[in-house]
Amino acid sequence: MWYYRFQTDQIGWAPAVNVLLPGDYHTSGRTYPVLYLLHGGNQDFITFDSMRVRDWTAGKPLIVVMPDGGKAGWYSNPVSSNSGPRNWENFHLNQLVPWIDANFRTYAELAGRAVSGFSMGGFGALKYTAKYFGHFASVSSHSGPASVRRDAGLVVNWANVSSAAVDLAGGMIYGVPWDEARVTADNPMENLERYRGKRIFLVAGTSPSPDPFDYANETQVLAGHREFRAALDAANIPFTAYEDEGGHMIRPNRMIEDIDGIIAHLRKA
């Protein structure tokens, strides 16, 4: 595990990134595929290490990049910020991805990259894959919202409220009234064709706890995943999806299955 902090004009502080290299990276001379693994809300770059990502990937030929994304950054460039620049989308796609390709032995191409995430990070993975069509050959959303306009735009409103309270000092991801073009560009449901030909892996929980946060999150995620899956089916776009017991949480068994599927799908080391 290699730990970095970045000085960037896109973020008003020095965001951190963990880069997990295969055990043989320094001796093999091989080139490797890369997984960008995105954390959820109120988490950070170290979340997956605390969940034992090193065990999930032990002995596997894959580089895993785990960047900061803000406690409520929503993998977006906000329409407004009162706390300095918080352009996570620009940092990740325009700065971090090229830096990784320049500094590690990676395949700097579609077939060499996957993106996956939990919760807010699952949304980020779906958004980045559609919006940056040539970047990621595989996308995975573990309890991340896939339909942001449903239920009167509950996800968009939550992105606005949470980012204003936690990250942007009253600024917002989408603004009020919404920046409609931005919502459309970010909404997986409105960009179905951009998932065609990609590996798609979806996980949602079916039995959240009575805790209001857990219940609201996973109920919305499950409904959005079902809507997204039905639309993918109608468009003849294949995917793998699971509905598992439990609520809004990282499921290590699905993460491991996902990682193995990513390695099988991407260009081989």
Side-chain angles (χ1 to χ4, degrees), residues 85-155:
R86 294 291 187 273
N87 297 314
W88 293 106
E89 183 177 334
N90 282 352
F91 170 55
H92 292 148
L93 276 300
N94 298 331
Q95 296 181 337
L96 180 61
V97 169
W99 186 87
I100 291 291
D101 288 334
N103 286 278
F104 297 95
R105 297 193 308 273
T106 68
Y107 296 114
E109 60 186 58
L110 174 69
R113 300 192 199 99
V115 62
S116 176
F118 167 67
S119 189
M120 181 183 78
F123 164 74
L126 289 169
K127 166 188 168 169
Y128 284 174
T129 297
K131 200 167 183 180
Y132 298 84
F133 182 78
H135 276 65
F136 304 105
S138 174
V139 58
S140 312
S141 178
H142 296 257
S143 291
S147 178
V148 304
R149 289 187 183 272
R150 63 173 294 112
D151 299 328
L154 182 62
V155 173

Side-chain angles (χ1 to χ4, degrees), residues 8-51:
T8 166
D9 59 0
Q10 296 303 309
I11 307 295
W13 49 285
V17 179
N18 267 346
V19 180
L20 180 58
L21 300 176
D24 66 351
Y25 180 86
H26 295 292
T27 59
S28 71
R30 292 196 291 174
T31 299
Y32 296 87
V34 181
L35 165 63
Y36 290 82
L37 188 55
L38 310 180
H39 66 74
N42 205 32
Q43 298 177 342
D44 61 16
F45 75 101
I46 207 168
T47 294
F48 292 107
D49 198 25
S50 67
M51 294 291 296

